[in-house]
Amino acid sequence: MEYVSTRNKNLRVSAAKAIAMGIAPDGGLFCPTEFPRLSHDEFVQLMRMDYKQRAAMILGKFLTDFTAEELQHFTEQAYADEKFGGKDTVPVVSLAADVHMLELWHGPTCAFKDMALQMLPHLLTASLKKTGEPRTCCILVATSGDTGKAALEGFADVPGTKIMVYYPVDGVSPMQKLQMVTQQGENVEVVAIKGNFDDAQSAVKCIFTDKETAKRLDEHGLMFSSANSINWGRLAPQIAYYVSAYCDLLGAGKIQHGQTVNVCVPTGNFGNILAAYIAKQMGVPLGKLICASNQNNVLTDFFAQGGVYDRNRPFYTTDSPSMDILISSNLERLLFFLSGQNDVMVKEKMDALARDGRYDVSDTLGAQLAADFAAGFCDDTQTAQTIKKIFDEQKYLCDTHTAVAVHVCEQYRAQSGDHAPVIVASTASPFKFCKPVAAALGHPIDTDGTEQLAALEAVSGCKAPEPLAALGAKTPRFDRVVDKADILSTLDLLL
Ligand SMILES: *Cc1c(COP(=O)(O)O)cnc(C)c1O
């Protein structure tokens, strides 16, 4: 299987090369040239497998320059029982006979980013070896919370790599900060930047493009790479859990063979829902892919208007911060797929986005967008009401991001009359967002740090995940705060 850039089909590389490079030199994103189909026999095999085996088999369909043994070894380490609280890596919990929560947050950092970031270090280090890259790989991450911790946990003490995370000093939740500054590992660094997330992000982008810095690193035998979802190595592992969820529902007798199941995903960068789209192209009987946004509803408008993307709008800080985003980078891959790999068109639209903050694909792709996708959004008030409602009615506690998806799912069903069974992606533990969750239940919390966990436990009767509870006993290791103008000097920490 070969990979091409969304902006230039003539640039063809192997999977290992695509993962090692992260992003194409023309700024495009690497995509497979075709979607492998799952045969009936393979489906039968998948039904009998555990999650680690399923993930290895799905990845093997895309990463054809990796051996089955290699991938099986990686998934066994990435999704080890002791990291995911047992054998049930991604439990499917039914809220109703036809609403199934796919809990993607049982990994070490309690958010769905672990599903990809536990795998990426294995895929990346193997890819560097396969492509003959001798240098040590330095992962730079700007984070608003979840990605930073998940990347730290994934790359900690991985030979041949170093990782450096920048977070906005006042822009992450107390729990997220505690998770990052207590991170163990000899190859990790965490730095707070004075400013907001955008400042941290632009500062990191400056480092990436600074020629002098690249030269200096090279002299020390180092190179840069990225751990966000523009890297195919982060997207590919996410396809597996949609295939696995379908198998689980079938195995539990909750759906019939071949029955269509919808999927609803709380969406920010469009990575998670794109993985569901790819699972559908592989032959999993998925129906509508329902894209759920918070008040930053640029994607809702995109689908409502049949393909007009316009980021010229106010940015809102919400109770579901991991979805506070106005440029959903993986949408570029969807345009590439839907247009029959029209790289010229994608490049033109992405240039327009960079130039005008806007593009329009409604005339060519409108009908296809409507066939596969539905979309809706949910503000903070509706998010809180949803958390309370499903807790009162179902005794099920969910986080703010997941509540956005549950609300939009109900909205879709009421408006469309489509009551096909639905898989709702549950993306974070409610204990990562104690304050808004407890407030939604009518019990505001005014403490910071790990006391919040006990407060939410008392209110909900649910137990906080072990990795969060353990933070209370950990000593902070990183307290460096730098001005964004001084970010280059922090690279000395890597040398
Ligand atoms: C990152 C994240 C999302 C958004 O996922 P995308 O792949 O960026 O669309 C949703 N919920 C949580 C909790 C996240 O951390």
Side-chain angles (χ1 to χ4, degrees):
M1 167 114 25
E2 284 190 310
Y3 289 79
V4 293
S5 163
T6 47
R7 301 187 193 180
N8 176 10
K9 267 191 304 195
N10 294 323
L11 187 72
R12 298 174 86 88
V13 297
S14 66
K17 190 84 186 163
I19 293 169
M21 289 170 83
I23 187 164
D26 58 11
L29 308 186
F30 285 116
C31 288
T33 48
E34 63 196 306
F35 294 120
R37 299 282 298 185
L38 287 168
S39 69
H40 178 76
D41 282 353
E42 285 169 327
F43 229 100
V44 172
Q45 288 172 36
L46 281 163
M47 291 291 296
R48 288 197 285 262
M49 292 177 173
D50 68 9
Y51 188 77
K52 301 169 191 81
Q53 294 168 318
R54 286 174 181 171
M57 178 159 158
I58 301 298
L59 280 166
K61 297 268 202 188
F62 288 95
L63 312 181
T64 47
D65 43 349
F66 290 68
T67 65
E69 293 71 34
E70 250 180 319
L71 292 171
Q72 181 67 31
H73 180 61
F74 294 163
T75 59
E76 271 161 20
Q77 289 177 294
Y79 305 126
D81 295 355
E82 56 274 22
K83 286 184 175 175
F84 278 77
K87 293 210 175 312
D88 203 359
T89 318
V90 283
V92 179
V93 177
S94 297
L95 268 197
D98 52 6
V99 179
H100 311 286
M101 310 300 287
L102 174 57
E103 293 186 349
L104 301 170
W105 44 264
H106 292 276
T109 79
C110 309
F112 94 94
K113 305 270 189 317
D114 288 329
M115 298 306 300
L117 281 164
Q118 284 296 313
M119 269 306 284
L120 183 64
H122 298 287
L123 296 177
L124 185 64
T125 48
S127 296
L128 294 170
K129 217 173 269 167
K130 284 179 199 293
T131 56
E133 175 58 65
R135 293 173 292 180
T136 295
C137 189
C138 301
I139 313 291
L140 298 190
V141 183
T143 183
S144 58
D146 287 337
T147 303
K149 176 61 182 179
L152 284 166
E153 195 66 35
F155 281 97
D157 290 329
V158 171
T161 72
K162 298 188 182 201
I163 175 161
M164 184 99 171
V165 168
Y166 299 96
Y167 73 90
V169 68
D170 295 318
V172 300
S173 81
M175 198 64 67
Q176 290 173 321
K177 176 177 173 183
L178 198 58
Q179 281 188 302
M180 289 189 279
V181 300
T182 55
Q183 178 65 46
Q184 299 296 301
E186 291 306 307
N187 63 340
V188 308
E189 283 291 343
V190 179
V191 175
I193 299 285
K194 285 184 203 154
N196 59 25
F197 171 66
D198 281 334
D199 295 325
Q201 170 107 316
S202 335
V204 167
K205 277 198 182 140
C206 280
I207 302 181
F208 269 123
T209 48
D210 189 68
K211 292 232 159 58
E212 275 304 304
T213 307
K215 196 163 151 249
R216 197 164 135 239
L217 254 80
D218 187 49
E219 283 162 10
H220 285 84
L222 304 172
M223 63 174 279
F224 284 133
S225 192
S226 152
N228 58 36
S229 61
I230 52 177
N231 194 324
W232 177 252
R234 233 195 93 173
L235 201 55
Q238 297 183 230
I239 302 164
Y241 48 72
Y242 291 107
V243 183
S244 177
Y246 193 91
C247 291
D248 283 347
L249 289 176
L250 204 52
K254 293 182 176 176
I255 54 171
Q256 304 301 312
H257 252 286
Q259 187 175 356
T260 300
V261 176
N262 293 334
V263 178
C264 183
V265 185
T267 303
N269 224 357
F270 209 75
N272 203 3
I273 193 167
L274 187 71
Y277 171 83
I278 296 172
K280 182 175 174 177
Q281 305 313 308
M282 294 181 77
V284 182
L286 301 179
K288 274 282 187 292
L289 308 174
I290 306 160
C291 173
S293 301
N294 64 24
Q295 207 181 345
N296 295 294
N297 58 358
V298 59
L299 286 168
T300 316
D301 289 346
F302 173 75
F303 287 108
Q305 291 163 20
V308 183
Y309 197 90
D310 191 348
R311 63 153 304 198
N312 302 301
R313 59 178 70 219
F315 174 90
Y316 299 103
T317 304
T318 74
D319 287 337
S320 42
S322 301
M323 295 153 70
D324 291 347
I325 183 161
L326 290 179
I327 302 184
S328 301
S329 15
N330 274 298
L331 199 55
E332 178 169 347
R333 285 190 166 111
L334 182 68
L335 301 186
F336 185 73
F337 295 142
L338 288 182
S339 66
Q341 309 189 359
N342 188 340
D343 53 348
V344 176
M345 183 278 290
V346 172
K347 179 165 169 26
E348 189 187 300
K349 301 301 174 189
M350 291 305 122
D351 287 346
L353 181 64
R355 193 179 56 235
D356 313 322
R358 188 180 189 283
Y359 64 80
D360 184 349
V361 293
S362 56
D363 52 342
T364 49
L365 304 184
Q368 294 177 67
L369 288 168
D372 278 320
F373 291 89
F377 75 102
C378 171
D379 64 22
D380 279 349
T381 309
Q382 293 164 319
T383 303
Q385 285 166 352
T386 305
I387 291 172
K388 178 150 175 53
K389 183 169 158 245
I390 60 177
F391 183 73
D392 288 348
E393 291 175 5
Q394 246 95 208
K395 283 278 156 271
Y396 186 82
L397 189 69
C398 77
D399 96 293
T400 47
H401 304 75
T402 306
V404 166
V406 171
H407 179 87
V408 169
C409 176
E410 286 172 359
Q411 213 179 52
Y412 168 76
R413 290 182 141 196
Q415 282 167 9
S416 67
D418 173 1
H419 284 264
V422 61
I423 294 169
V424 178
S426 174
T427 51
S429 158
F431 286 89
K432 261 196 120 159
F433 303 94
C434 294
K435 282 191 179 180
V437 171
L441 300 182
H443 299 274
I445 299 175
D446 56 9
T447 56
D448 278 340
T450 44
E451 309 86 72
Q452 293 180 77
L453 298 172
L456 184 55
E457 283 183 333
V459 168
S460 66
C462 301
K463 196 133 181 51
E466 193 47 46
L468 296 180
L471 289 174
K474 291 194 173 155
T475 321
R477 298 175 64 204
F478 306 102
D479 58 1
R480 196 181 305 262
V481 184
V482 306
D483 218 87
K484 60 182 185 230
D486 299 328
I487 192 168
L488 271 181
S489 69
T490 62
L491 292 180
D492 290 341
L493 297 168
L494 293 171
L495 304 179

